[in-house]
Amino acid sequence: MTKFVSIIGNGESRFGFDITPLKKFSTVIGSNAIFRDYNLEYVVCCDKHMCQEAANTCGKGTTIYTRDRWVNQFAMWDNVKVLPPLPYEGDKREDEPFHWGTGPYTGVVASMFKPKVIFMLGFDLYGLENNGVNNIYKKTKGYEYIKKAVDPRYWVHQFSKLMELSDCRWVVVNTKEWKMPTEWSAHKNVFRETYEGMARFINKQLTKSK
């Protein structure tokens, strides 16, 4: 069992927040192009083109998870693995594995470690002003096609299912102004924290380890 797992989304709320210290006391799982900025042990890339970039960029120490329909195309990369199955079956469109994106799949990968706590950083869900794209990597390679904010309903539902089925605590880290979906806050094992509070927690963990 792993005590702490941190899953990292690419919402702009985490811009300027250094996630490197998380690697010292938690298992860190990143989303998509995060490998351009950080050397992580685990990265999830549901998009085939993003997986290709990750395979070409990351070292063998990074395990890259991608969809079962793509994984055979990366057979020459030993560190590219198939995503784990969803922990439930549902009858809605948003319950179908192909309609799960990279962000929610980081939660599925995190659950494999059976952690006591999962920290969620940078999962902003909502677009910016005037329906602007809320992603640190917008307008860069692999993101050019995204012209407006994505409807977050699927993400909200999918993470809610993981929270419901999980025995661990989920700590959603974001700004003070950010609004947590009611579907998430309805779960007794879901909590929220600010980036300032998370920074203090990280400091405490690093001090303990000395």
Side-chain angles (χ1 to χ4, degrees), residues 13 120 122-126 134 156 172-181 184 191-193 195:
S13 69
M120 297 176 62
F123 289 91
D124 295 358
L125 301 177
Y126 317 114
N134 184 351
V156 171
V172 187
V173 180
N174 215 291
T175 63
K176 291 178 182 178
E177 299 77 24
W178 182 80
K179 184 179 179 182
M180 183 184 287
W184 294 7
F191 306 85
R192 65 174 301 163
E193 184 56 273
Y195 285 101

Side-chain angles (χ1 to χ4, degrees), residues 101-148:
T102 293
Y105 259 121
T106 62
V108 178
V109 174
S111 299
M112 290 170 39
F113 295 94
K114 302 187 183 303
K116 291 184 178 179
V117 182
I118 296 176
F119 296 105
M120 297 176 62
L121 288 78
F123 289 91
D124 295 358
L125 301 177
Y126 317 114
L128 301 177
E129 189 177 356
N130 296 321
N131 208 29
V133 177
N134 184 351
N135 193 296
I136 287 175
Y137 301 103
K138 63 187 178 186
K139 298 182 181 179
T140 67
K141 182 181 177 182
Y143 291 85
E144 304 97 333
Y145 70 96
I146 305 175
K147 303 299 183 183
K148 63 180 181 179

Side-chain angles (χ1 to χ4, degrees), residues 41 48 54 57 70 77 79 108 118 135 141 180 198:
E41 195 173 357
K48 181 170 63 174
T57 304
W70 315 135
W77 285 274
N79 59 327
V108 178
I118 296 176
N135 193 296
K141 182 181 177 182
M180 183 184 287
M198 189 65 193

Side-chain angles (χ1 to χ4, degrees), residues 59-70:
K60 293 182 179 179
T62 299
T63 299
I64 304 162
Y65 285 99
T66 194
R67 298 187 189 278
D68 55 1
R69 62 171 57 190
W70 315 135

Side-chain angles (χ1 to χ4, degrees), residues 63 89 93 99 179 206:
T63 299
E89 292 183 4
R93 190 170 186 265
H99 293 295
K179 184 179 179 182
L206 299 183

Side-chain angles (χ1 to χ4, degrees), residues 1 111 115-117 162-170 189:
M1 177 180 286
S111 299
K116 291 184 178 179
V117 182
L162 294 179
M163 293 163 175
E164 174 190 345
L165 297 168
S166 173
D167 293 328
C168 75
R169 300 177 70 177
W170 293 72
N189 61 330

Side-chain angles (χ1 to χ4, degrees), residues 33-47:
I34 194 171
F35 59 80
R36 297 174 184 171
D37 297 317
Y38 294 97
N39 180 21
L40 300 181
E41 195 173 357
Y42 301 97
V43 175
V44 177
C45 298
C46 286
D47 179 82

